[in-house]
Amino acid sequence: MVVDDISVVYRTKNKTEGRTNARTSVLKNLRGLRRGESTVRTTALSKISFVANQGDSIGIIGRNGSGKSTLMKVLAGLIIPDTGTVYASSNPILLGVNAALISSISGAQNIRLGCLAMGMSHAEIDAKFDDIVEMSGLEHEIFHPMNSYSSGMGARLRFAIAAAVDPEILLIDEALNTGDAQFKDRSKARMEKVTAQAGTVFVVSHSLGTITGMCNRAIWIDKGDFIMDGTPDEVAKEYRNFIWRMNEGNADYGRQIRAELMASLPEMRTTLLPNGWKRSR
Amino acid sequence: MSIQEEAEVAQNEAAQTEAPATVAVPVNLVRLSKVGQRPDFLDYLVQLWDRRSFIVFDARARVQSGNDKHHLGSAWLVLTPLLNGLSFYLIFGLFLGTSKGIDNFIGYLIIGVFTFSMSTRSILGGAKSLTSNTSMIRAFQFPRASLPIAVNVRELFSNVPVTIVMLLFVIFTAPAEEITWRWLLIIPAILLQFLFNLGIGMLLAPVLLKVPDLSHLLSFIIRFLMYVSAVFFAEERFGKYPVVRTIMDFNPIYQVIKIIRDSVLYDTTPSWRAWGVLGLWALGSVGAGLFVFWRGEESYGRV
């Protein structure tokens, strides 16, 4: 999987003037609208490039709002970046906590619906149905409507559905934090199975323990910038150091670390080999 | 495997030297493809066809669950148009007397209201299919046109009992109508109507996603459409306004209603002109809808 120079810019409405102030006149709002003052551009990711190899399990760390989830959505092809391209050998599957299914139908029907959405056939689903139910850890609840599930149960069901397709590239967005200990073991086994089949796994987590325990590589992004890429222990060490400096109030030193690490990154340049051209080797 | 190994080697070398060097990564498009890129139009249609079981299952699941929270459940599929018909009958048939000059006004009204309500629900549902399914869009990678298609298929499914009730109404309310082979003509008419609704829904859905304000206008447009479809009065009412007559002549929903009325109530074979107008609209809108929807395919994930 090659990630080439992707940037994502979100355009959102700037609401600072809206409700927080005592009163704003309608006229002023309209004027603001005309001048386009109310929209701000937030750079969620800026010029991120890296290569992920088969067999890698990559942990992604960073503070809140640093673009981790956006990166996952871009890798999964759910968001098309403003610049840059993602190349992959197969279609990546994203497991997110907020990937809601249809809440009014039962878990069993949701399994079928989710699997069909991912392009499986009825026969394949029939073959895998029991595995999915077992993976989700739901018993008779599988026939209850999904809006009666607890958030943990819902998350487990989603994980089980998305893991059912045997993806070559699996993206996990904080889904591991929601389950209980039993579920964590199951999902870890599932991840190891994917990497063992020469697949690639990406894990977003705020728990450095999860990343150092499960991954063989870690990537640190901060406010949309690619800071560091290395072994989980190295990256975790620098990240802890950075967070510690920031919390201590020594923000300048923290920023210095950040800038030094960024400057030491090699620049990546991709060259496209044309489609259908066989390399002689 | 080869490119990835090469990239890894290059990266390791760069890491060893610790200097910001440039890593060259060749991307072999034979093995790697762009993620999330919309396919060619024809490939897109093939992908859609491959997801047909998803579309049908989604439609079925939603028909069942749509009325789950109501005590009468699926009976509302029939009750809603029934009550609609009744209220229009009271207002326009009895109080305002628009029934003048119409044979079998109850049948006329029921067919108009039932047929029009299918288009209303399908077009509104199709137009909102992207805005109301954002969680689905963010969770799975599938051809997004499945969503408006599923909504329209669901409406087609739920329209089956409605159509049966409509025909029972025509049979059991006086003056009873004779059942002829022409009754079968309502099947192609409803299928063409389905295609037209689908196309319009697919044209509107991307626009609605970009300009959500439009959803407020939509109900007014639908209301205007209802008045030029002669749902509860005779089309001669607009005789004084040739412009409105022309609009009606080219209004596909009016043509569907007219075809069904002609074949069920008045024992006349619908004119070729009516079929032509309806067919052109149906095929044209579904073609344009698919194309426009496909062009925006990549943009639906980010809102």
Side-chain angles (χ1 to χ4, degrees):
Chain A
M1 187 169 200
V2 176
V3 177
D4 181 18
D5 196 33
I6 52 170
S7 303
V8 173
V9 179
Y10 285 125
R11 287 158 201 85
T12 40
K13 283 203 173 115
N14 195 356
K15 300 257 185 189
T16 45
E17 231 182 294
R19 290 277 168 237
T20 44
N21 277 11
R23 258 187 298 166
T24 45
S25 70
V26 177
L27 209 70
K28 209 171 162 190
N29 267 339
L30 280 176
R31 232 182 288 142
L33 206 68
R34 208 179 308 135
R35 277 194 230 136
E37 280 173 351
S38 57
T39 50
V40 283
R41 295 160 65 87
T42 316
T43 308
L45 294 173
S46 74
K47 301 188 180 230
I48 293 204
S49 303
F50 61 89
V51 176
N53 300 308
Q54 291 172 334
D56 267 0
S57 54
I58 301 175
I60 294 176
I61 54 175
R63 295 183 286 170
N64 279 349
S66 53
K68 302 185 295 295
S69 293
T70 305
L71 178 63
M72 287 295 111
K73 284 182 190 145
V74 171
L75 294 186
L78 302 175
I79 293 179
I80 301 300
D82 292 82
T83 67
T85 329
V86 179
Y87 302 92
S89 55
S90 78
N91 215 356
I93 299 285
L94 172 67
L95 295 179
V97 275
N98 45 9
L101 302 165
I102 301 177
S103 59
S104 57
I105 64 178
S106 74
Q109 280 176 306
N110 267 308
I111 290 181
R112 202 159 277 273
L113 189 66
C115 290
L116 287 171
M118 290 186 296
M120 288 165 76
S121 71
H122 277 294
E124 284 173 287
I125 298 168
D126 288 337
K128 281 188 175 164
F129 190 82
D130 292 336
D131 280 351
I132 300 172
V133 175
E134 199 204 315
M135 174 82 199
S136 72
L138 298 169
E139 288 151 13
H140 59 274
E141 294 100 333
I142 200 78
F143 298 109
H144 295 181
M146 241 188 112
N147 48 23
S148 69
Y149 287 14
S150 74
S151 55
M153 282 154 79
R156 272 168 15 203
L157 184 65
R158 281 181 218 115
F159 184 90
I161 292 174
V165 280
D166 276 331
E168 209 178 300
I169 302 170
L170 184 64
L171 313 167
I172 302 175
D173 189 359
E174 304 199 22
L176 298 179
N177 299 343
T178 47
D180 49 25
Q182 181 201 12
F183 177 67
K184 264 187 190 146
D185 288 344
R186 278 192 192 147
S187 44
K188 198 179 168 191
R190 185 79 219 182
M191 275 176 60
E192 275 160 4
K193 195 180 157 204
V194 171
T195 41
Q197 288 168 347
T200 310
V201 178
F202 287 84
V203 185
V204 169
S205 180
H206 282 290
S207 140
L208 289 178
T210 312
I211 302 237
T212 47
M214 287 178 150
C215 306
N216 61 15
R217 186 176 158 192
I219 286 173
W220 170 15
I221 55 176
D222 189 65
K223 292 195 172 158
D225 290 323
F226 193 90
I227 308 291
M228 196 180 172
D229 179 358
T231 66
D233 291 326
E234 280 170 18
V235 176
K237 194 182 122 211
E238 293 290 346
Y239 180 66
R240 273 198 201 101
N241 189 11
F242 169 74
I243 294 292
W244 182 62
R245 301 279 177 197
M246 295 299 271
N247 286 351
E248 213 185 28
N250 201 346
D252 285 338
Y253 190 68
R255 262 180 233 121
Q256 197 191 328
I257 299 178
R258 192 178 179 274
E260 274 173 15
L261 285 170
M262 258 182 89
S264 71
L265 276 174
E267 197 186 328
M268 196 177 101
R269 190 164 299 149
T270 49
T271 44
L272 289 183
L273 304 179
N275 203 347
W277 184 70
K278 291 261 190 306
R279 276 149 54 86
S280 53
R281 192 148 71 94
Chain B
M1 199 65 189
S2 59
I3 25 143
Q4 279 161 344
E5 273 169 2
E6 199 168 278
E8 196 175 27
V9 169
Q11 231 175 19
N12 287 343
E13 276 168 6
Q16 277 158 16
T17 53
E18 288 285 340
T22 307
V23 184
V25 179
V27 176
N28 189 343
L29 288 178
V30 177
R31 285 206 66 250
L32 299 181
S33 54
K34 289 183 181 180
V35 169
Q37 198 192 28
R38 87 184 130 99
D40 293 340
F41 188 55
L42 285 178
D43 286 344
Y44 190 68
L45 295 184
V46 171
Q47 280 186 13
L48 264 179
W49 177 246
D50 288 342
R51 296 298 164 99
R52 63 191 179 278
S53 40
F54 166 60
I55 293 170
V56 172
F57 188 82
D58 182 72
R60 276 223 317 263
R62 284 172 203 250
V63 169
Q64 284 166 13
S65 70
N67 286 303
D68 264 0
K69 56 178 184 288
H70 305 295
H71 292 298
L72 292 178
S74 304
W76 283 109
L77 287 180
V78 175
L79 281 175
T80 314
L82 208 68
L83 293 174
N84 248 333
L86 211 62
S87 61
F88 283 126
Y89 174 70
L90 282 178
I91 296 166
F92 293 96
L94 293 183
F95 301 147
L96 296 179
T98 51
S99 63
K100 273 180 217 127
I102 300 176
D103 286 343
N104 192 353
F105 182 66
I106 295 182
Y108 185 93
L109 186 73
I110 291 284
I111 289 176
V113 171
F114 279 36
T115 311
F116 192 81
S117 77
M118 155 144 171
S119 271
T120 313
R121 281 180 291 127
S122 305
I123 291 176
L124 287 179
K128 287 175 184 160
S129 59
L130 284 177
T131 39
S132 57
N133 281 305
T134 38
S135 54
M136 213 41 189
I137 292 174
R138 285 176 195 168
F140 300 113
Q141 175 73 41
F142 58 93
R144 308 307 187 199
S146 317
L147 292 171
I149 296 177
V151 170
N152 279 273
V153 171
R154 170 185 51 170
E155 292 302 340
L156 191 65
F157 285 164
S158 55
N159 197 43
V160 171
V162 175
T163 309
I164 293 171
V165 168
M166 177 174 95
L167 295 180
L168 287 178
F169 244 94
V170 173
I171 294 172
F172 288 113
T173 55
E177 297 296 333
E178 215 179 313
I179 300 174
T180 63
W181 65 272
R182 293 190 186 85
W183 282 43
L184 290 176
L185 288 177
I186 62 174
I187 294 170
I190 287 178
L191 287 180
L192 285 175
Q193 186 194 5
F194 161 78
L195 288 181
F196 170 74
N197 297 339
L198 175 62
I200 297 296
M202 281 197 295
L203 283 172
L204 288 175
V207 184
L208 214 62
L209 195 66
K210 288 210 176 64
V211 193
D213 313 50
L214 203 74
S215 63
H216 294 290
L217 292 179
L218 218 54
S219 59
F220 294 104
I221 298 170
I222 296 275
R223 194 171 308 163
F224 175 75
L225 204 61
M226 182 167 79
Y227 283 101
V228 293
S229 298
V231 172
F232 39 72
F233 47 78
E235 60 252 40
E236 286 78 25
R237 283 236 146 192
F238 282 127
K240 279 178 275 178
Y241 309 99
V243 185
V244 182
R245 275 313 301 261
T246 322
I247 293 175
M248 277 171 79
D249 261 357
F250 289 102
N251 173 6
I253 300 180
Y254 168 65
Q255 298 296 350
V256 177
I257 295 176
K258 195 166 143 69
I259 285 174
I260 297 181
R261 278 175 186 159
D262 277 353
S263 31
V264 173
L265 292 183
Y266 304 127
D267 266 352
T268 38
T269 312
S271 67
W272 283 112
R273 202 180 161 281
W275 287 110
V277 169
L278 177 58
L280 280 179
W281 268 105
L283 295 180
S285 83
V286 110
L290 270 172
F291 185 74
V292 168
F293 203 90
W294 163 77
R295 291 227 318 185
E297 177 80 359
E298 292 173 353
S299 64
Y300 304 145
R302 48 184 322 174
V303 179

